[in-house]
Amino acid sequence: MEEQKFNLVEEPWIPVLRGGRVVEVGIREALLEAPSIARIETPSPLEEAALHRLLLALLHRALKGPRRPEDVLDWWRAGGFPKAHIQDYLERHRDRFFLFHPQAPFLQVADLPAKNPLPWSKLLPELASGNNPTLFDHTTEENVPKASYAQAARALLVHQTFALGGLLRRHGVGSAKDAPVARPALFLPTGGNLLEALLLNLVPYTPEDDAPIWEVPPLRLGDLEGAKTEWPLSGRTRVYTWPSRGVRLLDEGDGVRHMAYGPGVEPLEAFYRDPMVAQRLDPRGGSVVLRLSTERSFWRDFSAMLPRQEGKVAATVEHADELQGLLEEEGVEIRPTLRVLGQVSDQAKILDLRREVFPLPPGLLSPRGEENLEKALKAAEELGQGLRNLALQVTRAVVGERDRKELVDFAGSLPLERLYWHALDGAFPGFLGRISEEGAVETWRQELRWAAQEAWTATRLFLGTGARHLKALAQGERVLGRLLGRLGAEVKA
């Protein structure tokens, strides 16, 4: 019989930055010593999101709230969470946090058959395994490295949070659905330390009709065969700890190399909106979740989630904005950052893992802030479109009329549009940090002008010095002048 081993409440497995060093801590230490921890420190954006969601689920249940923003404000003033509540809660449910347990291993299924095991690396999208392309490493299924218990625990949590749907063919289930937040972008405000990060994301909560995975009876194989168990996709901590797949890590005594694998709980559609997810208006008038893209940085879609464009801001961002306002009324000034985390996928394949970091200034969600953001992004997109057309004009002048695809491909090879957006990727956080200040939009237009001119200078060097090239560049120069002139009188050449 499997012995109880590696309790996640006490064993070190959460990587954090403390005192300038990265160390691993257990759940109890992370929650009770949060003021002394700078942040969760991991290179994986998915791991960062999944670990925060686990800690938030524990806080919601241990504190039975917060019921109101003022509760969060009280904990902020106190400089920590009520320790007795957290200690009592962790002690009450401690037996459900063993990574290895004969009846109830954490987030796993104890009696899942070990026949035809899979490598543990399947749990992480950045490791090559099965359908994952070798974009991030060169691990092979024939030579699976052994994972430490801490590493395996983090991978398990990431997989349950972000697993993509696809073929399964195990235990009477042909295919599995996406984990609850497998495809949306997740919005995680963070502060000066881990305590502030957790408080900024501790959106008011009603504990009734909800339960995380450790508060319900352990799942058995019989519960999951043939997709027998279906739960409504609702209840915040239930969704934060959703068992997307049946997993049993196979202990080798000093680490994990393989796992038993199977179906998880089938999600049933329910009225529920994840606090970390934002929505935008789709062309048919409905709401769709905001996702990350391999083709463009997220900031270009920033305004789509704002009420001004009938979008819905992530509840974590609204909560952080409100908390920031309450603190400022008391003379406390904070400058949180906003981390946008997630993965980019094509059906069941992972294309990219992303983490974009922005300032979260006061007034972002004010009418003035929204208006400024909308103006700025509209100006950037219009100039970007103008540069795309300019590249096409220059291409035609150089190579003559060709097949449309050939022209577009040649224009795309010019550095003009690519360098323009690259420059703005670096400039946007600065603009966002000044979003409510007088003259913010005008300063942004200067950034647009500078980015376009620098990109054009690089294009001139790229294109060549033949007669037709010089003629094309002269035409392009005139077009660029008109584009910059449309940005506003204050940036006219």
Side-chain angles (χ1 to χ4, degrees):
M1 177 176 285
E2 190 118 38
E3 63 175 315
Q4 297 178 2
K5 188 191 284 187
F6 203 78
N7 192 287
L8 301 177
V9 172
E10 294 111 14
E11 297 283 355
W13 69 287
I14 301 173
V16 299
L17 182 65
R18 182 162 61 186
R21 295 176 56 239
V22 178
V23 297
E24 291 181 348
V25 299
I27 289 172
R28 178 180 286 116
E29 192 172 350
L31 294 177
L32 299 184
E33 304 299 326
S36 68
I37 294 171
R39 59 177 177 269
I40 290 176
E41 183 71 17
T42 165
S44 165
L46 304 190
E47 198 171 283
E48 181 179 4
L51 286 167
H52 277 95
R53 287 168 73 87
L54 174 68
L55 296 180
L56 288 167
L58 284 157
L59 287 170
H60 281 310
R61 299 305 292 177
L63 304 176
K64 295 183 170 55
R67 300 278 182 163
R68 311 163 302 144
E70 288 76 11
D71 295 338
V72 180
L73 196 59
D74 289 343
W75 299 328
W76 190 293
R77 292 191 193 108
F81 301 111
K83 292 191 175 183
H85 290 74
I86 293 173
Q87 293 274 31
D88 290 348
Y89 184 80
L90 292 178
E91 196 56 39
R92 204 179 324 139
H93 297 284
R94 181 178 177 277
D95 281 353
R96 296 297 300 274
F97 285 88
F98 283 102
L99 194 61
F100 303 100
H101 190 283
Q103 284 87 39
F106 177 73
L107 259 180
Q108 300 167 73
V109 180
D111 62 345
L112 209 59
K115 186 180 178 183
N116 300 322
L118 295 178
W120 77 274
S121 54
K122 180 181 172 62
L123 295 173
L124 288 181
E126 59 264 46
L127 296 185
S129 174
N131 202 33
N132 293 348
T134 54
L135 291 175
F136 307 100
D137 84 323
H138 296 284
T139 302
T140 66
E141 295 190 7
E142 290 73 32
N143 184 26
V144 181
K146 188 182 290 184
S148 68
Y149 294 148
Q151 191 177 15
R154 297 194 297 268
L156 172 67
L157 189 62
V158 167
H159 192 70
Q160 299 290 22
T161 307
F162 292 101
L164 291 172
L167 287 177
L168 187 66
R169 291 177 180 160
R170 285 180 180 239
H171 307 299
V173 177
S175 62
K177 294 181 179 175
D178 283 350
V181 289
R183 300 185 195 265
L186 298 183
F187 293 78
L188 183 78
T190 57
N193 55 42
L194 181 58
L195 171 68
E196 293 183 7
L198 294 171
L199 289 172
L200 287 165
N201 290 279
L202 214 52
V203 179
Y205 164 75
T206 305
E208 291 77 17
D209 301 322
D210 183 27
I213 190 68
W214 52 82
E215 288 189 28
V216 298
L219 291 165
R220 312 290 292 181
L221 175 61
D223 299 321
L224 303 176
E225 284 179 312
K228 192 182 295 179
T229 299
E230 300 175 323
W231 293 346
L233 193 61
S234 63
R236 187 178 304 169
T237 66
R238 169 165 289 183
V239 175
Y240 278 9
T241 61
W242 190 270
S244 305
R245 301 289 183 273
V247 176
R248 179 161 73 94
L249 299 172
L250 303 178
D251 185 17
E252 293 193 1
D254 59 351
V256 174
R257 204 183 302 270
H258 291 92
M259 63 178 178
Y261 195 74
V265 171
E266 286 283 304
L268 295 176
E269 289 297 325
F271 181 75
Y272 172 76
R273 197 174 144 225
D274 194 287
M276 292 187 179
V277 173
Q279 296 178 328
R280 64 172 175 80
L281 195 66
D282 73 7
R284 290 173 294 182
S287 292
V288 295
V289 299
L290 274 179
R291 296 182 178 185
L292 298 168
S293 163
T294 54
E295 297 167 358
R296 50 196 282 156
S297 301
F298 169 76
W299 66 264
R300 293 173 61 183
D301 296 320
F302 214 109
S303 65
M305 66 179 178
L306 299 178
R308 188 178 171 87
Q309 294 192 18
E310 299 185 56
K312 293 175 183 173
V313 180
T316 49
V317 176
E318 286 184 309
H319 171 69
D321 185 69
E322 183 176 2
L323 184 58
Q324 202 173 3
L326 292 171
L327 287 166
E328 285 195 352
E329 289 175 8
E330 298 185 358
V332 179
E333 186 176 306
I334 63 169
R335 286 291 177 265
T337 56
L338 176 62
R339 301 165 89 84
V340 184
L341 312 166
Q343 58 189 352
V344 185
S345 60
D346 177 12
Q347 297 186 348
K349 286 188 177 180
I350 306 295
L351 303 179
D352 199 5
L353 307 180
R354 297 278 289 280
R355 174 195 284 125
E356 297 187 27
V357 181
F358 307 98
L360 187 57
L364 173 63
L365 302 183
S366 67
R368 182 176 183 175
E370 287 192 41
E371 183 181 358
N372 283 350
L373 187 57
E374 188 176 271
K375 283 181 181 175
L377 296 188
K378 185 179 178 185
E381 290 296 333
E382 287 179 350
L383 183 53
Q385 182 60 51
L387 294 179
R388 183 177 303 170
N389 294 337
L390 169 56
L392 205 53
Q393 279 184 257
V394 169
T395 297
R396 279 201 179 93
V398 171
V399 302
E401 279 302 332
R402 301 284 182 89
D403 173 76
R404 171 77 182 176
K405 183 177 183 308
E406 193 175 343
L407 290 173
V408 169
D409 287 347
F410 187 95
S413 72
L414 299 177
L416 184 60
E417 195 180 355
R418 185 172 65 256
L419 290 184
Y420 168 74
W421 288 116
H422 179 70
L424 296 185
D425 284 347
F428 180 76
F431 162 71
L432 191 64
R434 301 187 298 271
I435 188 76
S436 298
E437 294 178 10
E438 192 73 33
V441 175
E442 287 70 27
T443 304
W444 173 249
R445 287 183 179 131
Q446 293 284 6
E447 295 282 4
L448 299 185
R449 184 180 186 224
W450 179 86
Q453 288 176 325
E454 289 294 305
W456 176 250
T457 299
T459 303
R460 290 183 64 93
L461 296 174
F462 178 87
L463 203 57
T465 56
R468 68 181 189 283
H469 301 102
L470 294 176
K471 183 178 178 183
L473 289 170
Q475 292 174 358
E477 198 84 41
R478 290 194 290 275
V479 175
L480 180 65
R482 288 198 294 273
L483 290 173
L484 296 181
R486 291 178 200 154
L487 280 174
E490 68 281 356
V491 294
K492 280 183 178 176

